[in-house]
Amino acid sequence: MYEFEPASATYAISDTIVEHHLRGRDRTRVDLPGGYRLTLRNRQLHGKLEAALAAPSPTGPARICTARISAHTPTPVTSRILDTVTRYAPALPDARDARPPLEAVARLLTTGAPFQRPGEPGLFVRFGHAEAWLEGRRLSVTLGSPGSGLSLVLGGPWDAPSTARLTAAVLRELTEAEQLAGQVASLLQPGPWQVLSDQWHPAAALVLPATRRLAPEDPLGRRISRALREVQHNLSAAQPEWDFQGLISAEGSAVALRVTQRERAVPRMVRKVVSDGAHGPDELGNTRTTFLPADLPPLPNLAPALPPHEVPSLDLHVAPQNERYTYGVKLDLGDWAYALEPRAVFYGPGWYPFHEHVTRREKDPTAPLNDREVPTGRTVPARVQLSPDVEHRAWGNEYVQLTPVDHRVEARLHLYAGQERAGTLVRTVMLEIDLRAQRVMLPAQTPAALRHQAATKGRRILDLLLSARRERAQGAREPRAVLGPWDRGDPPGADA
């Protein structure tokens, strides 16, 4: 036993694995610091190593992970991965097994690019030549060829944050992602720099300023840009086999230097506008500029399929890409509501409340050269326009067009999708509002990052239609309660 028991179980795990291999045992069991228990097993000599980790609990040791590790995996890497499992293990290891939602794991990943493969279940994560696969409670990682890497089966209530951290740690350990960052740091001259391993590829590293604050006398960061060019010159002279890419901001200054190994053919980075919403991870209310790999796969859509009765029955249109809106505005969701734009409509029968007269054209007897519109006595449901009720006539992309069908209403929205070069980007989406079921249905092709915004606005459209139906049921002939505060005017008199 150790005279000084370390806080981490890495050393004990490493010693146990070495002793297990040297003595050629079929099975080894040992108690680790902190009350953990490790069991090792080899079914074949020099074959895959099987490991089981148990955590202390009031009811006795509870299994938190079962691992199958390739024989080619170095012992230090195996030890650090098993130690990572103990650090990210659930707090209640004896609780019921849980399967974390994959969409939450994909959002929380800090290493690799998550994606899906058509016809295959689970979530895939690509990190250079390594590829992870998450399905149920299983985490598998392969290193370019079948039979390499490892497979973990998680036991206990593993949540999404712990699963995401464990996935990132396993990918980095198996690919030795910190190695290049250490080499770059050893060659850097003392200065205000920090070196980080790349998030997207193990054969890349980033040189960043130690602080993100820009000097008041240099708001555009020109001084940092010149210093990064000098760093690139020095590193290129020391390591000619490295490639370099300066990450240029929208202001034209370099904000970081990316170092890659030339023989690994690492994809270059491109500048993109991404979501940084304040109302949830699925809303593009706020945006920021970042750098992403040129071959980054699209974000996986892991939302569960809609039940059969919630599939939209209308042929709803979703624009294939964002469009530039010249006079677009950005409006946080907040707590505003929609208001009806003033128009010659009145309340009529049916599920849809807003109607208009059917007219015919005829010669005007007072001006024979002109025509006039004459009501026929019939009414039809009318198309109307809605706008937020927080500012009068300040909207362009926030206007909503409603087209009645039957008990269903088709709503055309321009969802805010960010800013690009001082312009507003929008995505045109059609929603189905079912007044009979009082339900809002989104088309399946709605981008995942816009679903929260679309659902929230769709619910507010439904609230306005229900308010209009209530006002109609109270005997009102024309809309008033659903108008904007600037269009309501004085209440009608008794003889109106």
Side-chain angles (χ1 to χ4, degrees), residues 52 63 73 81 93 119 166 198 220 224 227 358 410 413 436 477 480:
R63 181 170 295 185
T73 305
I81 289 175
L166 178 62
D198 191 75
L220 298 181
I224 294 177
V358 178
E410 190 177 83
L413 295 85
R436 183 167 61 187
R477 295 181 57 85
R480 183 175 179 273

Side-chain angles (χ1 to χ4, degrees), residues 60-74:
R63 181 170 295 185
I64 57 175
C65 178
T66 302
R68 293 172 61 90
I69 303 173
S70 169
H72 303 289
T73 305

Side-chain angles (χ1 to χ4, degrees), residues 148-309:
S148 61
L150 56 80
S151 174
L152 303 176
V153 177
L154 308 179
W158 283 81
D159 56 2
S162 298
T163 305
R165 288 196 298 265
L166 178 62
T167 303
V170 171
L171 284 171
R172 290 187 171 276
E173 289 292 351
L174 288 176
T175 57
E176 299 180 348
E178 306 291 339
Q179 183 176 359
L180 180 61
Q183 296 176 4
V184 174
S186 65
L187 295 175
L188 274 182
Q189 297 180 0
W193 308 110
Q194 58 176 334
V195 182
L196 304 177
S197 59
D198 191 75
Q199 175 185 355
W200 308 105
H201 203 284
L206 292 174
V207 180
L208 300 163
T211 177
R212 294 185 178 182
R213 289 186 178 182
L214 297 174
E217 64 275 9
D218 185 27
L220 298 181
R222 307 299 190 201
R223 185 182 303 169
I224 294 177
S225 182
R226 291 191 296 268
L228 283 173
R229 283 200 298 267
E230 184 178 352
V231 169
Q232 176 180 347
H233 176 74
N234 296 335
L235 291 177
S236 178
Q239 293 288 345
E241 67 276 9
W242 287 351
D243 281 335
F244 303 89
Q245 180 188 4
L247 304 184
I248 309 300
S249 67
E251 291 79 14
S253 301
V255 295
L257 179 65
R258 192 170 189 241
V259 185
T260 58
Q261 297 175 356
R262 184 173 302 165
E263 70 275 6
R264 298 289 295 274
V266 181
R268 295 180 66 82
M269 306 285 278
V270 294
R271 190 173 67 230
K272 291 186 179 181
V273 177
V274 298
S275 168
D276 193 18
H279 299 282
D282 290 337
E283 188 216 340
L284 272 172
N286 301 315
T287 58
R288 59 185 175 87
T289 301
T290 187
F291 298 89
L292 299 174
D295 64 341
L296 183 68
L299 289 175
N301 183 13
L302 297 166
L306 295 174
H309 64 278

Side-chain angles (χ1 to χ4, degrees), residues 417-433:
Q419 297 285 336
E420 185 180 72
R421 297 181 181 177
T424 302
L425 297 178
V426 299
R427 180 72 69 94
T428 303
V429 175
M430 311 288 282
L431 307 183
E432 179 181 324
I433 314 295

